[in-house]
Structures are given as C-alpha cells and as structure tokens.
C-alpha cells in the first residue's frame, strides 16, 4: 500500500482508476479505508479516480500515542497533504461519519482545493450527545481493557476476509486492527471541535451532496437535513436506512456518480446552476 509522510507520521492510501477527476473518500471513526472499496471500484468504473486514505491512527497509517495529534482539523490537514503528495490541485472530497465531518473541516480549511463535497452521515448538533454516550464505553474499554482488546484482535486474525459480505469485512477490520492509540483518538476528538459551527457551515459555497437516513441517533436525519439547508449549494438525498450504502448501494452510487460528473463541469456552467437554484 503506498504511503507518504506528513508531520513525521506515515499515512497510507490507495488509488482506484485513473484520470484528473479525483474523488478523495474518507472512512468512519476507528474503521479504515477498505470500508469504501466497493464504492471506490464502482466510481472508478464510471470514469473517476478515487483515492482512499487511512487517517492517522487508523488502518495501515501510523499510531502515535500523543492525544494532541488527533482532531478534525488535523485530519483535514492530512487530506490537504494527500492532495499535495499526489500533485492534485483540486478534488471532490467526501466521507462517512468521521469522514463526513473531516470533509466539512476541509471545506473551511482549503475551499479552493475542492470541486465539491459528499457528506454521508454527518455528526452535528442533534447527534453529538448520542455520539458521546455511545463512544464513552468504547473509550473506557480502550483505556483500561487493552489486554482484552488485543486478545480479540489476535483471535480475529486467522479469519479470512475475502469471502465475507461487506459489513462483516468492515467489522472484522475494526476488530483486528491495532487499537493501541484508539483511546487517544477518541479523547482527542472529544476535546476538539467536532464540526464547523453553524456560521462556518453557512459560508461553505461548494456544491454538496448530503446523504442521511432516519433511525440513527448518532447520525440523525435531522443533522443531514439541517446541513443541506445551511449550505448554499447543498442537496439532501435520504437513504432508505443506515445499511443501504453497504448492502444495496446501486441507487446511492448512481447519485454520487451523477453528482461527481456535475462537479467537474466547467465552473461557469456550475455558477449559472447555483444562481438558478437561489432564484427558485
């Protein structure tokens, strides 16, 4: 797996497809880039170059034990560093859950480097309480139960990944990856800014596809809907449920591919479309 160095830390990434239409796809919290393999392959077949990355502390990337290294803003800086490493001036940036919030931070940090955003399952005002409640027991496990965590990872190592369905592969990757720095990741994220605030989000003018679903307190549909209303060029697509993208991805993959095509149209044409939307 290729890698590069940012702030003296190794970050791993993968590329799918070729061409100048680059889509950077970010994983969820305590998961890794392989959760997006099927989507990356599908979008590559549609003519896009998809790049996935293991953010610091995840997957095959480095796992420093300093808590201060983990924040949404620093993750956004890692995505900028990835574009610099690839010599890519602009890309569409997207992600799921943690990756969704990092995408929003990227849009605030370096809007000139983005052609558009894909935000799946953001954690914003309505979901933050449930997120803290959900991840606090996990934090305690990583903080005080490392022998048990290592044992579970060791027991999961011999299980073959290939024949399993996608959700099982994602779960298996999460269990058997190195969690030596996972407590520091969670603490760093809890102490930092979870997402840009309301005023900062309103200033994001990039075309944005927001994907949300009902029935999930950590990623409530209300957060996705509110985000799409805040963004001047946001559009909401409601998934049928939390598993649609992973079990029956065809509809949402088509939505994303169509959106990516629109992001790479000439800028002047996109500006006219934006003005028509505001006028209506």
């Amino acid at each position: 797996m290729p890698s590069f160095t940012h702030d003296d830390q190794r970050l791993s990434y993968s590329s799918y497809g070729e061409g100048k239409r680059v889509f950077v796809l970010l994983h969820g919290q305590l998961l890794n880039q392989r959760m997006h393999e099927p989507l990356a392959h599908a979008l590559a077949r549609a003519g896009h170059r998809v790049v996935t990355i293991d953010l610091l502390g995840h997957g095959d990337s480095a796992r420093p034990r300093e808590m201060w290294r983990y924040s949404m803003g620093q993750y956004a800086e890692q995505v900028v560093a990835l574009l610099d490493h690839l010599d890519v001036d602009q890309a569409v940036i997207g992600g799921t859950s943690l990756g969704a919030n990092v995408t929003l931070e990227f849009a605030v940090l370096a809007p000139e480097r983005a052609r558009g955003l894909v935000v799946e399952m953001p954690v914003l005002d309505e979901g933050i309480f449930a997120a803290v409640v959900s991840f606090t027991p996990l934090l305690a496990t990583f903080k005080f139960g490392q022998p048990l965590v290592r044992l579970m990872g060791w027991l999961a190592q011999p299980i073959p990944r290939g024949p399993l369905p996608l959700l099982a592969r994602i779960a298996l990757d999460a269990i058997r990856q190195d969690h030596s720095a996972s407590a520091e990741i969670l603490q760093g994220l809890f102490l930092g800014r979870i997402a840009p605030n309301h005023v900062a989000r309103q200033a994001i003018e990039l075309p944005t596809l927001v994907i949300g679903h009902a029935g999930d307190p950590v990623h409530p549909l209300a957060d996705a809907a509110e985000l799409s209303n805040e963004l001047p060029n946001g559009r909401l697509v409601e998934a049928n449920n939390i598993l649609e993208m992973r079990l029956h991805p065809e509809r949402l993959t088509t939505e994303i591919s169509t959106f990516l095509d629109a992001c790479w149209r000439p800028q002047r044409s996109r500006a006219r479309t934006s003005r028509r939307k505001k006028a209506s």
Side-chain angles (χ1 to χ4, degrees):
M1 186 174 293
S3 64
F4 66 101
T5 300
H6 173 67
D7 282 346
D8 296 324
Q9 301 296 322
R10 180 179 54 81
L11 299 173
S12 297
Y13 67 94
S14 300
S15 293
Y16 305 79
E18 299 178 349
K20 296 182 178 181
R21 304 194 310 172
V22 177
F23 179 35
V24 176
L25 194 50
L26 309 174
H27 56 77
Q29 186 164 292
L30 302 182
L31 301 174
N32 63 41
Q33 60 177 296
R34 295 201 292 182
M35 70 172 286
H36 285 311
E37 279 179 336
L39 178 60
H41 282 297
L43 294 175
R45 288 193 295 270
H48 303 279
R49 179 186 177 193
V50 183
V51 181
T52 59
I53 181 174
D54 285 325
L55 297 169
L56 193 68
H58 296 79
D60 289 327
S61 291
R63 286 173 166 74
R65 298 296 298 273
E66 298 91 354
M67 187 192 311
W68 58 265
R69 291 185 181 275
Y70 300 104
S71 69
M72 296 293 182
Q74 286 168 294
Y75 282 150
E77 291 173 6
Q78 292 166 25
V79 180
V80 173
L82 172 66
L83 296 184
D84 291 341
H85 171 74
L86 297 173
D87 196 24
V88 171
D89 291 331
Q90 285 189 316
V92 179
I93 311 298
T96 301
S97 190
L98 167 73
N101 287 38
V102 174
T103 296
L104 295 174
E105 289 288 358
F106 181 97
V108 173
L109 174 67
E112 74 284 356
R113 304 295 298 272
R115 296 283 295 205
L117 311 174
V118 178
V119 180
E120 183 196 8
M121 297 164 49
V123 181
L124 302 176
D125 304 27
E126 296 296 325
I128 185 61
F129 176 76
V132 171
V133 170
S134 299
F135 282 103
T136 297
L138 196 58
L139 170 59
T141 300
F142 290 136
K143 187 75 173 176
F144 304 110
Q146 274 297 321
L148 176 60
V149 172
R150 287 194 295 269
L151 175 62
M152 292 178 61
W154 179 77
L155 292 173
Q157 289 299 324
I159 301 174
R161 184 179 183 274
L164 296 174
L166 177 60
L167 285 178
R169 295 200 303 270
I170 292 173
L172 183 62
D173 286 343
I175 292 170
R176 65 186 185 186
Q177 72 174 310
D178 179 2
H179 285 289
S180 59
S182 293
E184 286 75 19
I185 294 172
L186 292 174
Q187 290 175 95
L189 293 176
F190 284 167
L191 289 174
R193 182 168 84 167
I194 297 298
N197 63 28
H198 172 75
V199 175
R201 298 196 297 260
Q202 284 186 314
I204 298 174
E205 297 184 349
L206 295 161
T208 305
L209 180 67
V210 183
I211 302 174
H213 58 267
D216 177 0
V218 177
H219 313 94
L221 182 61
D223 275 348
E226 179 64 20
L227 177 63
S228 68
N229 289 329
E230 291 172 327
L231 300 174
N233 294 295
R235 179 171 70 89
L236 175 66
V237 172
E238 184 175 349
N240 293 324
N241 53 65
I242 190 174
L243 300 178
E244 182 181 359
M245 178 66 87
R246 269 80 240 178
L247 294 182
H248 305 287
E250 296 81 9
R251 179 178 73 94
L252 296 178
T253 299
T254 299
E255 289 277 3
I256 294 171
S257 183
T258 301
F259 174 77
L260 295 180
D261 288 338
C263 287
W264 292 106
R265 290 174 190 156
Q267 298 279 1
R268 188 175 301 174
S269 173
R270 285 172 46 199
R272 287 197 298 267
T273 300
S274 176
R275 287 196 294 270
R276 285 198 298 269
K277 178 180 176 181
K278 290 180 179 179
S280 62

